[in-house]
Amino acid sequence: MNTTADNISGTQEIRFLTPIPVQARKKKYCRFKKLGIKYVDYKDPDFLLRFVNEQGKILPRRITGNSLKYQRKVAQAVKRARHLALLPFVTDLLK
């Protein structure tokens, strides 16, 4: 017997008509540590494009999965490549 006291106290279970999809996310990993890369080459724009979005902005760690150490190295390499005109500072469609 459902009463208003049961609904207020929260003893009744909440049921949905369709199950809520729960997706298992892949574990993010630092590709530099996994592949043993110690130096981020600023003269390789094809490699650096992986860490830049379509507008030319540097992607954050939470998206790329880089460790803090290598994210700083990537950011420095992208800035150096921009300064040497290997990568654009701003663009509409980079990729």
Side-chain angles (χ1 to χ4, degrees):
M1 179 173 173
N2 290 341
T3 62
T4 56
D6 287 339
N7 292 337
I8 294 172
S9 63
T11 57
Q12 191 176 18
E13 288 184 33
I14 298 174
R15 297 186 182 193
F16 298 99
L17 295 176
T18 58
I20 299 172
V22 178
Q23 297 175 352
R25 291 187 180 211
K26 279 187 157 182
K27 176 92 170 98
K28 291 184 201 168
Y29 62 92
C30 180
R31 70 181 77 195
F32 295 99
K33 287 183 178 179
K34 185 175 181 180
L35 299 175
I37 300 171
K38 296 193 183 282
Y39 177 71
V40 182
D41 190 14
Y42 65 92
K43 295 172 290 218
D44 187 8
D46 296 328
F47 179 71
L48 292 177
L49 282 177
R50 298 180 188 175
F51 305 102
V52 174
N53 68 2
E54 294 87 16
Q55 296 175 338
K57 296 180 181 178
I58 301 171
L59 292 173
R61 282 181 60 205
R62 68 176 185 271
I63 295 175
T64 60
N66 291 339
S67 64
L68 179 62
K69 175 182 175 181
Y70 287 104
Q71 181 68 20
R72 286 180 180 153
K73 289 184 178 186
V74 165
Q76 188 66 38
V78 168
K79 290 174 187 177
R80 286 179 179 167
R82 285 175 177 166
H83 188 71
L84 293 174
L86 298 174
L87 286 178
F89 280 92
V90 181
T91 183
D92 288 335
L93 294 173
L94 184 61
K95 295 181 181 179

